[in-house]
Amino acid sequence: MLAQDTPRKLALLVGINYPNNNNLNSLNGCVNDVDLQQELLIHRFQFKKSDILRLTTKESLQQQPTRNHILTAFEEHLIKQAKPGDVVVFHFSGHGYRLLDPHPIQNCDNQQFNDDYNSTFVPVDDTLNGSPQDIMGRSLFLLISALKTNNVTVVLDSCFSGGGTRGNYQVRSAIRNNINTLEPSQTEIAYQESWMKRLKISDSEFTRRRCNGVAKGVILAAAQRDEEALDAPFDGFYAGAFTYAMTQYLWQETDSVRNAIAYISPTVKSTGGHSPFADGNQNQPVYFIDNKLLSTDAVITKVKGNQANLWLGGLNNKSLATFNKDATFSIVDATGKTRGKLKLESRDGLKAKAKLVDSKENIISLKPGMLLQESSRVIPADLHLSVGLDSSLGNEISIAETELSQIYRIKPVPALKDNISYPAEVQLILSRMTEEYLQILKQQKVENIPAVGSIGLFTQGLQIVPQSFAEKQESIKTAVCRLEPKLKSFLATRLVEMTLNKNSSKLDVEVSMNLVEQPNQPFAKISTLKSIYPQTKLPLNKSFQFQIKNNSSHSLYVMMLLIDSTGSLTVIHPYPWTNFNRGMLLASNDTLIIGEPNKPKLQAVKKGLAQALIITSRSSLDKAVHALKRIESELKTQKTNQNKCFVDQTRGAEVIEDLINDLSGERSGKNAKTREIKTSNIATVSFSFEVG
């Protein structure tokens, strides 16, 4: 019997930043999305580089993402080459839009087709003068139908509403004046008609197929039809909030489409405020490739002697700042066995340079494609919380800058006069509520919007931080004073999140979440051994609990925090406040239940996004617990004394230093400039979940 041919893997990746286009606002992260996707496909899913075609605004003239080049590439690279059983990936990052559909789908139960519009993709040569050059979703459906394989994945990181900026993000939607009347070009209509004839599809048959869902395979989209997909700043680079979250997850887990979307959705929603979704057979493995691969943080892309260039696509964006000079990675083989160690010498976004510093064998030759797992990270000496100062503060910006600068490790960042609000990533935005923001929030159907003129905090994606706004007569100085405990809480959370290392920790820890009434039915589960259950919404007013199992051969100290939608933190373990060390210690092969009915119970009483952070360590965490308890106490006291300002800079400094020292296993105090965190000593995992 002849061996069956290995399926070919083909990809067409389109990323458009729209540079030097006076009619379309430029973007920054779409070409980086293509880089994220390409490195993932090559090193994680074994695509050949020669089988990946890139059309981006950084390519040669022949590979610019014009309308003609995109359509021709789809036909020549995908349709003509793909055979039955082959794997096909089409990725588009750029502006989206909606045009009046000359042939709208009617009498269809599918809720996508409830109006007269059709979603489109905006190519780089669309000048917005005259008829648009947009490629309609209708055309994409026909192109997918023409493929000879069913193993098709379409990834769309664009949106079909909005435009401009939102907070420190750019909206991936074209801005047009005639938004409700613009129709597709005659060229686009003719192109669709030609494919209808070639595929021998009648209008009625097309309608039937469209109503049934995707043409073939699976579509992964960054946002719902009425939401905005966002171009987001990260630590040193821009990317689509969705593309980065998805590709980072896939470096760690090879999973079904359903589980992947369920896991990354809370992350994307907390980052950008939009909800990813999938359409098609979601039980299929992502990209239709069912490989059980080793969890990976980075990969070697280029080698010169004992020097290597790295791609850090598997690192969580919240901990990127800890991977600079002196952070280390282990070189691992297919079984996970360590063969050597690399130390970082520099990093630029997700690209890094490293040097071989240790080899477990007599001689190890570095090679492109070698997979890496984190060995240690370094908390930066200048760790801080960046707070953007919105232009709505007017002539009070300088006052706000002065007041914020006096809070330990809080860094104020004035706004830019550009289509990018701030020069880099900010964690929060201090702003007044304006009429413009009021209208944006109303469009998003936000409830309990603060009064125009009041001062409070927004997320980077311009989502309200609940309970951060007060009366509109408040001065900026009083507002900063009032918000100080909340800012400390966000800073502490940022620090703990920098230690997240579920996939690289050498400690064997398993955490599950369940309703108290269903103790043996976890609805979410995370393990350092890489097993995952998808997360679901936590029902309102239901008691829940966590079960933490220590599968390690030694005892571990355990600390757990809950972060609610307001940014307030609560230390839920250890409880009570006394006998920290004894109460925190979890013996080998033992299970800790947090939220038992006979103890202070955990109950979801507010709708919104929440997060649980679980820290396990071989070293004592008593100073960290005391530090977090002090922040928690300040927040509670501030709530009951709205008019009183709590300012104790020395105490604030001690809180953060205590956290840094304990989480890194150091007891050296403020004199140590950086702290190293080793995967052999600590495991920090996170649950992000939605209540409602």
Side-chain angles (χ1 to χ4, degrees), residues 556-558 574 577-586 619-623 667:
L556 297 174
Y557 292 92
V558 179
W577 290 25
T578 56
N579 299 320
F580 284 143
N581 284 336
R582 187 177 63 190
M584 295 171 69
L585 205 57
L586 179 61
S619 302
S620 171
L621 296 170
D622 56 312
K623 290 174 71 68
R667 291 294 185 271

Side-chain angles (χ1 to χ4, degrees), residues 342-462:
L342 292 167
K343 178 177 284 190
L344 287 193
E345 296 184 325
S346 64
R347 179 178 65 85
D348 180 14
L350 291 176
K351 296 178 181 179
K353 295 184 183 297
K355 183 179 180 179
L356 182 66
V357 293
D358 179 44
S359 175
K360 297 299 181 182
E361 301 172 352
N362 292 332
I363 298 176
I364 183 171
S365 297
L366 298 179
K367 296 178 182 178
M370 281 183 164
L371 301 180
L372 310 175
Q373 290 181 341
E374 173 201 352
S375 179
S376 69
R377 63 182 71 176
V378 179
I379 296 180
D382 63 344
L383 170 71
H384 57 265
L385 185 79
S386 293
V387 180
L389 303 179
D390 192 79
S391 58
S392 63
L393 297 176
N395 57 12
E396 291 184 300
I397 285 181
S398 59
I399 300 174
E401 190 170 4
T402 299
E403 295 299 317
L404 287 171
S405 297
Q406 293 177 13
I407 304 175
Y408 188 68
R409 292 188 184 270
I410 302 297
K411 180 181 178 181
V413 183
L416 297 173
K417 295 180 180 179
D418 202 346
N419 66 328
I420 302 174
S421 299
Y422 300 95
E425 183 180 15
V426 295
Q427 283 75 53
L428 295 169
I429 297 174
L430 181 67
S431 173
R432 285 192 182 276
M433 180 60 66
T434 65
E435 189 63 41
E436 177 186 0
Y437 293 159
L438 178 69
Q439 295 306 317
I440 291 173
L441 295 169
K442 283 184 176 180
Q443 290 176 7
Q444 298 171 4
K445 299 179 181 179
V446 175
E447 299 177 355
N448 303 318
I449 301 175
V452 172
S454 58
I455 300 173
L457 297 171
F458 286 102
T459 67
Q460 189 173 192
L462 209 63

Side-chain angles (χ1 to χ4, degrees), residues 164-176:
T165 61
R166 200 176 88 198
N168 201 30
Y169 296 150
Q170 293 169 286
V171 178
R172 291 184 170 182
S173 175
I175 303 175
R176 288 164 168 163

